[in-house]
């Protein structure tokens, strides 16, 4: 609606700055996963166009953590062969 005194169109409103969502992140007990979930708090301080990078980073880390679980523990090293003491000539 135009300004009643000047007839000029209204000034565009300033966009609101980023605001924390207030989402509570409960610890999982897995340090690596907990660090990734805490990274989501970074999005609270970014404008919407910056959220994608944070979400993709966390998603990539969570996928790697799940893949590591699927792979299982690393195989145990193979012990060196025992030397033979059967020295017949």
């Amino acid at each position: 609606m135009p300004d009643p005194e000047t007839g000029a169109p209204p000034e565009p409103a300033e966009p609101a700055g980023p605001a924390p969502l207030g989402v509570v992140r409960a610890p999982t007990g897995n340090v690596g996963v907990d660090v990734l979930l805490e990274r989501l708090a970074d999005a609270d301080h970014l404008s919407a166009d910056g959220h994608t990078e944070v979400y993709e980073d966390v998603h990539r880390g969570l996928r790697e953590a799940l893949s590591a679980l699927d792979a299982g523990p690393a195989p145990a090293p193979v012990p060196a062969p025992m030397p033979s003491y059967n020295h017949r000539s």
Side-chain angles (χ1 to χ4, degrees):
M1 188 164 175
D3 183 307
E5 293 178 14
T6 64
E11 293 288 324
E14 289 291 319
L21 296 174
V23 176
V24 177
R25 289 170 288 279
T28 65
N30 181 306
V31 175
V33 170
D34 290 342
V35 168
L36 289 166
L37 294 179
E38 283 303 314
R39 168 107 166 86
L40 290 173
D42 293 347
D44 285 347
H45 309 290
L46 299 172
S47 61
D49 60 344
H51 290 188
T52 303
E53 181 181 343
V54 173
Y55 296 154
E56 287 177 350
D57 183 42
V58 171
H59 184 248
R60 182 176 32 261
L62 291 173
R63 278 193 2 236
E64 289 171 3
L66 285 172
S67 294
L69 290 175
D70 287 342
V78 177
M82 295 295 292
S84 171
Y85 294 105
N86 187 2
H87 298 293
R88 294 186 182 173
S89 325

